[in-house]
Amino acid sequence: MPIRALEWSARQGGVLLAVSIFAGLFIPPLAAALREAVTPIVALLMTLVLLRVDPVQVLAYLRRPLLVAALLAWLLLGCPLLAFAVTQAVGLDGPMGAGLVIVATGCAATSSPAFARLVGLDGEVALVASLLSTLLVPFTAPPLALGLLGIDLSITVAGLMARLALVVGLPLVVSLAIRQMAGPARLARWGGAVDGAVVLLVVLYGFGVMDGVLALLLAEPGLVLGGVALAFAGCLGLNLATALVFRPAGRRLSLSAGLLSGNRNMALYLAVMPASTEPRILLFFVLCQFPLFLSPFLLKPVYARLARRG
């Protein structure tokens, strides 16, 4: 029964993610109870995601260094420059605009491989890009943010790398140990259940990050709703721009690259930002969870149609 329940969760992943973000918003006690569990949830999520990606396929992508390098350069350098140019062109130079540019400097979301699998895209390239962008972001985000915006984000290389050792390094070791003990055949049988567990962990993460948002929505609805609209515009805009840039590499890969570009890991920034950071920038990071959680549900039919046409 537990395995069947997890497999059902995997099949209904898009709906569960969409429901969870609103449940976290409208049930404040639940969000408050899970707020402190966000970091261990992300670490466990990464462990399960790593279990579901074929190492042989990952190594195959690493043998295509030009493609991987181009994707990382676009995610970590091209997207921030594009976001900055757009915000300047439309006069969006306040905290929300700054938040959008900082979001574009972030690494691909830890859950990107799970999301890619959920909508039928390339989980292996999503894993490679999310892992390598996470390792590189301490070296790219601070100078870009300082150079473009003049905002001191207080993200030190040593401090961020220490967090990455927990959120990426430990899950990597644990997943390799589990893979060695379980064997590929058993992991294949458990694949649906593992995918379901990933969905449930992302649901719990969604609950935790929504703590306090409802009170702010009631106090300043214009600010919150405007931020949500901007978050969707940024997510979908980066998704589309990236898919077009990588279109020559093939339909499935370009769509996967777009998904990576639109969904960034804001949990990492929320964890390392100082308390003195502009509150509206931090709010924008939280509001970016709405497109992150809703895009698999909203875009899955689009991806399916594009795949059939391809």
Side-chain angles (χ1 to χ4, degrees):
M1 287 296 293
I3 291 179
R4 289 181 180 178
L6 290 173
E7 291 173 342
W8 177 87
S9 298
R11 292 192 298 271
Q12 303 299 321
V15 175
L16 291 175
L17 293 177
V19 170
S20 69
I21 197 70
F22 292 105
L25 176 65
F26 291 111
I27 309 177
L30 180 61
L34 288 169
R35 181 184 180 91
E36 299 302 323
V38 166
T39 298
I41 286 172
V42 172
L44 182 55
L45 172 64
M46 193 66 187
T47 302
L48 296 183
V49 165
L50 287 165
L51 280 178
R52 286 295 286 140
V53 177
D54 185 357
V56 175
Q57 293 296 323
V58 173
L59 291 175
Y61 272 108
L62 290 177
R63 295 190 190 102
R64 302 168 67 184
L66 292 180
L67 173 63
V68 174
L71 180 55
L72 290 173
W74 174 257
L75 289 175
L76 297 176
L77 301 176
C79 286
L81 294 174
L82 175 63
F84 178 72
V86 171
T87 56
Q88 293 299 301
V90 300
L92 192 64
D93 53 1
M96 289 292 186
L100 178 59
V101 177
I102 297 171
V103 165
T105 70
C107 54
T110 306
S111 54
S112 293
F115 282 7
R117 294 177 63 88
L118 190 62
V119 297
L121 296 180
D122 196 326
E124 281 70 36
V125 74
L127 174 67
V128 171
S130 62
L131 280 177
L132 294 182
S133 63
T134 300
L135 293 173
L136 290 173
V137 76
F139 304 98
T140 59
L144 276 174
L146 288 170
L148 291 178
L149 302 173
I151 297 175
D152 185 2
L153 300 180
S154 299
I155 301 177
T156 65
V157 172
L160 191 51
M161 288 303 294
R163 294 177 186 275
L164 292 176
L166 174 65
V167 179
V168 178
L170 181 59
L172 176 61
V173 172
V174 172
S175 67
L176 290 175
I178 295 174
R179 180 175 290 276
Q180 182 67 29
M181 291 185 292
R186 186 177 297 175
L187 286 176
R189 290 197 303 270
W190 291 350
V194 174
D195 285 345
V198 167
V199 169
L200 294 181
L201 284 172
V202 177
V203 166
L204 294 177
Y205 166 78
F207 290 155
V209 296
M210 285 294 106
D211 184 36
V213 176
L214 179 60
L216 187 58
L217 173 62
L218 296 175
E220 298 185 68
L223 174 65
V224 175
L225 295 178
V228 170
L230 181 61
F232 270 100
C235 170
L236 297 177
L238 288 174
N239 193 328
L240 177 60
T242 301
L244 292 175
V245 167
F246 284 88
R247 188 176 181 181
R251 184 185 298 269
R252 190 163 183 258
L253 190 142
S254 65
L255 293 175
S256 302
L259 184 70
L260 288 167
S261 183
N263 295 330
R264 302 300 180 111
N265 187 354
M266 291 297 97
L268 200 58
Y269 280 176
L270 287 169
V272 301
M273 288 293 186
S276 58
T277 301
E278 162 64 51
R280 285 170 291 181
I281 293 179
L282 296 178
L283 172 65
F284 185 72
F285 293 164
V286 172
L287 298 181
C288 283
Q289 306 309 308
F290 282 97
L292 178 69
F293 277 70
L294 293 176
S295 58
F297 175 73
L298 297 174
L299 295 179
K300 187 174 183 178
V302 177
Y303 290 136
R305 183 175 180 180
L306 290 174
R308 287 195 299 268
R309 289 178 59 185

